Amino acid sequence: MDEIRSAYGLLNLKQVDKAIAARRHAAVRYREALKDVEGITFFDEMPGVQHNYSYFPIFVDEKKYGMSRDELYFKMRDRNVWGRRYFYPLISEFSTYRGLESAAPDNLPTAHKMADTVICLPMHHLLSDEDVQRVIECIVK
């Protein structure tokens, strides 16, 4: 049985580079289309880092963009574009931790800012250019 699993794993590994290249293509399109959208930011490529492009988080500045992360999330969802509100809800907001002093929002300002502003855009190696364009059109006003 271990030989069968090993053979299956080796077959899957052959597809990894192709999948990463496809996700990179989507990430490049997202970056190019969103780079000048006021109130939308994202991480730049990091020199020397080999990315797998599994996620494409954007950060929504409500004042600059004109709507909150949640408003954009629901706008996308209404158009059948399924982003993810990452770090939502924060673990510190779970009933198990909520009462702890260390979980107080004042003690976790960066975590709350990230949780309140981030959406991970759809990212998959089978996303078509049309799929990516639909995502972009939801965000670009």
Side-chain angles (χ1 to χ4, degrees), residues 60-112:
V60 182
D61 181 320
E62 182 175 357
K63 289 179 182 168
K64 291 180 182 177
Y65 185 63
M67 76 174 65
S68 70
R69 182 279 310 269
D70 284 345
E71 289 171 315
L72 177 57
Y73 170 81
F74 287 111
K75 175 185 173 185
M76 291 168 59
R77 193 177 79 171
D78 289 346
R79 296 178 181 183
N80 206 28
V81 173
W82 297 92
R84 290 180 61 200
R85 293 179 288 183
Y86 228 53
F87 311 117
Y88 178 81
L90 283 175
I91 291 173
S92 60
E93 295 174 346
F94 292 2
S95 60
T96 308
Y97 304 105
R98 191 178 311 142
L100 299 175
E101 183 180 337
S102 60
D106 289 345
N107 292 329
L108 303 166
T110 303
H112 279 273

Side-chain angles (χ1 to χ4, degrees), residues 2-140:
D2 287 336
E3 291 174 356
I4 292 172
R5 282 189 229 165
S6 295
Y8 184 70
L10 289 173
L11 287 173
N12 282 330
L13 282 175
K14 291 180 180 183
Q15 303 302 313
V16 170
D17 289 339
K18 196 157 95 173
I20 290 172
R23 292 191 307 260
R24 181 184 183 282
H25 176 74
V28 167
R29 292 216 37 227
Y30 284 148
R31 277 193 177 89
E32 184 59 32
L34 301 176
K35 69 181 181 188
D36 295 323
V37 176
E38 188 171 1
I40 299 292
T41 57
F42 45 84
F43 294 121
D44 291 327
E45 288 279 341
M46 293 182 284
V49 174
Q50 186 174 358
H51 296 276
N52 67 11
Y53 303 97
S54 293
Y55 302 95
F56 194 90
I58 63 169
F59 303 91
V60 182
D61 181 320
E62 182 175 357
K63 289 179 182 168
K64 291 180 182 177
Y65 185 63
M67 76 174 65
S68 70
R69 182 279 310 269
D70 284 345
E71 289 171 315
L72 177 57
Y73 170 81
F74 287 111
K75 175 185 173 185
M76 291 168 59
R77 193 177 79 171
D78 289 346
R79 296 178 181 183
N80 206 28
V81 173
W82 297 92
R84 290 180 61 200
R85 293 179 288 183
Y86 228 53
F87 311 117
Y88 178 81
L90 283 175
I91 291 173
S92 60
E93 295 174 346
F94 292 2
S95 60
T96 308
Y97 304 105
R98 191 178 311 142
L100 299 175
E101 183 180 337
S102 60
D106 289 345
N107 292 329
L108 303 166
T110 303
H112 279 273
K113 180 180 179 185
M114 298 297 284
D116 292 343
T117 63
V118 68
I119 298 176
C120 284
L121 301 184
M123 181 57 75
H124 191 273
H125 68 279
L126 297 178
L127 279 178
S128 68
D129 284 339
E130 292 79 18
D131 293 331
V132 172
Q133 188 59 38
R134 277 187 336 109
V135 175
I136 291 166
E137 287 171 2
C138 287
I139 300 166
V140 176

